[in-house]
Amino acid sequence: MKLNGQQLLRATILLFFTIFIFRLHVSGDILKLINPKYETLSQIGASLFLLLFLVQMHRVFTFGTKAEHHHHEGGHDHHHDHGDQPMNLKKVFSYMIIVFPIASGMLLPLSSLDASIAKNKGATLSITRQAEQEESSQDELAETQTPDEVPPGTEQPAGDDNPIDPNIYKNTIKKTEYDQLRSDILLQTHIEMGETLFSTYYQEIMANTEQLQGTRVSLSGFVYREEGFSAEQLVIGRFLITHCVADAGLIGFLTEFDQAKNIEDNTWLDVTGTIQLTDYQGSQIPVIEVTDVETIEEPDQPYVYPINIEIVE
């Protein structure tokens, strides 16, 4: 019997991948990396790593006759590396690439996206562009996603051969309820932007700013600034994660109040104010004239996620 060091190293890497992903789920930190609708898929992935680890363990120990079989099967030499070839520089480099994300993920603290990331993503440009795009995107949604497109008894649009991920509707609202919610927003005198519907309210306010002028709104988020802001201006924003942290984008509102100049970036605030319309960089966007502001602690879950619309009869 022979202990194969490289096979043991591969098994160890698979084990640490398994531990790392399951630890993220136990601590809840997985929601800082992916949309909650992908939690089950992530757990399946961790289970597959565990299965591969168990399979790999059978290769850690080899016996003499078996080792010879690998290299002289059928009377011909193989040139495949079964993990028993000497370690060389190319192998070391390959293992380092695989080990690096595990080592950094397990040894370094997981930090939240903040204002510095928003600046790198060009958030202000995104905000002004979204003001121009929100209304057209809402119209497209109403035109393309109608109940007539859904075969009775299914939730999958006709003509789509790809099966729908069953987890995608974890955070779901029926289309009728969604349409009612959109209509009700325009009638509200005070919009309270909770975390579940944060992105929905954001889209509606961006698309219907003129109709919502003078409406009170309450929201919480972190402080973000761009060059060109006045001393009384800052953005209260949240990162929206559609799939994973790699596609996270800032959504938030320009706000104005006298004490803004005394508040540092990344400070979490809970604000209430009235919606007004202003011109910023050539675009008409909403601005919240803040009347009440309170400093709060960063929530355990700082991100928000888009709500999924279930299209059924």
Side-chain angles (χ1 to χ4, degrees), residues 56-204:
Q56 180 64 24
M57 284 301 294
H58 288 286
R59 299 175 177 173
V60 173
F61 298 98
T62 56
F63 299 89
T65 54
K66 186 176 180 180
E68 289 294 326
H69 174 74
H70 283 311
H71 293 282
H72 303 287
E73 184 179 6
H76 301 286
D77 288 343
H78 285 201
H79 299 287
H80 304 298
D81 182 5
H82 295 280
D84 51 5
Q85 298 298 311
M87 186 72 79
N88 53 39
L89 186 60
K90 182 179 179 181
K91 279 189 174 184
V92 171
F93 183 71
S94 299
Y95 283 123
M96 287 179 63
I97 292 177
I98 298 174
V99 169
F100 178 75
I102 294 296
S104 59
M106 299 193 74
L107 299 177
L108 301 177
L110 187 62
S111 59
S112 302
L113 302 179
D114 57 16
S116 63
I117 302 298
K119 289 179 181 178
N120 291 335
K121 286 177 172 284
T124 296
L125 181 61
S126 172
I127 289 172
T128 54
R129 282 183 175 175
Q130 287 176 27
E132 299 169 351
Q133 295 172 353
E134 287 303 330
E135 187 167 1
S136 61
S137 64
Q138 293 292 343
D139 292 341
E140 290 175 2
L141 176 66
E143 292 173 359
T144 60
Q145 296 184 343
T146 63
D148 293 339
E149 293 177 320
V150 185
T154 72
E155 299 169 353
Q156 186 173 356
D160 187 353
D161 295 330
N162 298 316
I164 293 176
D165 173 7
N167 299 303
I168 200 169
Y169 294 125
K170 188 171 184 177
N171 182 25
T172 301
I173 185 172
K174 292 183 178 178
K175 189 174 188 304
T176 52
E177 296 175 355
Y178 178 74
D179 291 339
Q180 185 64 48
L181 177 66
R182 291 180 58 192
S183 300
D184 290 345
I185 290 175
L186 299 177
L187 302 177
Q188 294 183 39
T189 57
H190 186 183
I191 299 172
E192 297 188 42
M193 298 181 61
E195 294 185 352
T196 303
L197 295 174
F198 191 98
S199 63
T200 301
Y201 284 134
Y202 170 78
Q203 290 176 341
E204 290 303 315

Side-chain angles (χ1 to χ4, degrees), residues 46-62:
S47 300
L48 289 176
F49 274 121
L50 179 60
L51 177 62
L52 291 173
F53 161 73
L54 296 175
V55 172
Q56 180 64 24
M57 284 301 294
H58 288 286
R59 299 175 177 173
V60 173
F61 298 98
T62 56

